[in-house]
Amino acid sequence: MAPQTSFNNLKVLEPLVPGSSEKGQITQEVVKHGGLGILTAAIFLAGEMAGSGVLALPAAMIGTGGWLGLALIFLFTANAGFSGTRLGLCWIMLEERYEEFRGEVRDPYPAIGEKAVGRWGRIVSMIAISLTLYGGGCVFIVLIAQLLGSLVASVGFSLSLCLWMVIVAVCLMPLTWMGTPKDFWPIAVGALATTCIACLLVVVTCILDGNQIQEKVFPAPTADGIFKAFGSIMFAFAG
């Protein structure tokens, strides 16, 4: 009887992974405990996807006339789900065919790109990841600085936005020194909890003020509104 391995999920995905039935006999590996579990990974993904971008979706719908914006949301949802399954299958194929990827790997996306198309695939992946993280990081630093500035200004203490941005960046810098996501999982739990609370407050406010809200007439969709909605919805789906 073949030994049990830590890659039993290959059997479930055999119809989707070419050649997996022939190459599924993998030598037994020692399972390393203490990493991310399914629940922790789900919390990280939910905290990443459901953030300030989700709260900006209602404003993005205005410029699209409503129905077009809703169609864009469904389109991006399907695109994110499909892309996630393809990336998962690509990584399973790498673990199956290359022994060096069966442990901890710090750069999975560049590794997938390199094995798929060569060295330039790694370079393109690293450039895309760097630009995405840099752009998203700048947006969040500015947003946090604005929120902190408005909160502190209510008690009579005010600083310029530039100074608040420096303070926020310095405070967030130690978090980047941690090794892997499993080292700062409480932050993911806090991010998901605060996002859920914010969404709940928005829903409760809409329910309580429902009788006082006047009927709104939204403008017809425009090219400018569609482009802005496209960017906002893409940002809501983490770029």
Side-chain angles (χ1 to χ4, degrees):
M1 183 175 179
Q4 297 295 322
T5 72
S6 59
F7 301 98
N8 289 331
N9 53 351
L10 286 173
K11 295 183 178 180
V12 179
L13 297 171
E14 277 183 2
L16 303 177
V17 183
S20 60
S21 58
E22 295 82 1
K23 299 182 180 180
Q25 300 297 328
I26 303 174
T27 57
Q28 184 173 7
E29 298 286 341
V30 178
V31 179
K32 185 172 183 180
H33 298 280
L36 286 180
I38 295 179
L39 178 60
T40 310
I43 292 175
F44 265 99
L45 290 175
E48 166 66 19
M49 299 296 291
S52 58
V54 173
L55 301 178
L57 287 180
M61 300 282 286
I62 296 177
T64 62
W67 290 108
L68 182 58
L70 189 62
L72 286 175
I73 292 177
F74 280 111
L75 175 63
F76 276 95
T77 302
N79 178 69
F82 179 78
S83 300
T85 57
R86 298 307 97 183
L87 287 173
L89 290 175
C90 287
W91 187 249
I92 289 177
M93 292 171 64
L94 257 65
E95 286 185 331
E96 178 189 21
R97 300 178 182 183
Y98 303 98
E99 187 175 353
E100 62 269 23
F101 295 116
R102 297 175 190 171
E104 293 184 355
V105 180
R106 299 297 299 272
D107 53 348
Y109 296 147
I112 293 174
E114 183 176 12
K115 293 301 181 182
V117 296
R119 181 68 178 175
W120 68 270
R122 169 178 284 272
I123 296 175
V124 171
S125 299
M126 294 179 66
I127 292 175
I129 293 172
S130 299
L131 291 177
T132 301
L133 294 178
Y134 179 80
C138 291
V139 170
F140 284 117
I141 287 176
V142 174
L143 181 61
I144 295 172
Q146 290 177 340
L147 293 176
L148 285 178
S150 61
L151 288 175
V152 177
S154 61
V155 297
F157 181 78
S158 62
L159 292 174
S160 65
L161 179 61
C162 295
L163 289 178
W164 277 119
M165 290 174 60
V166 174
I167 294 173
V168 170
V170 171
C171 293
L172 294 178
M173 191 180 302
L175 300 178
T176 64
W177 299 339
M178 296 181 179
T180 59
K182 67 182 178 63
D183 298 321
F184 52 90
W185 63 266
I187 297 177
V189 176
L192 181 60
T194 53
T195 302
C196 292
I197 292 173
C199 294
L200 180 62
L201 291 176
V202 171
V203 173
V204 171
T205 302
C206 292
I207 294 175
L208 294 178
D209 297 340
N211 296 329
Q212 304 175 5
I213 297 177
Q214 299 178 355
E215 183 179 358
K216 297 291 184 179
V217 178
F218 296 103
T222 61
D224 182 65
I226 293 174
F227 278 112
K228 289 181 178 178
F230 188 90
S232 299
I233 296 173
M234 180 178 289
F235 179 73
F237 282 87

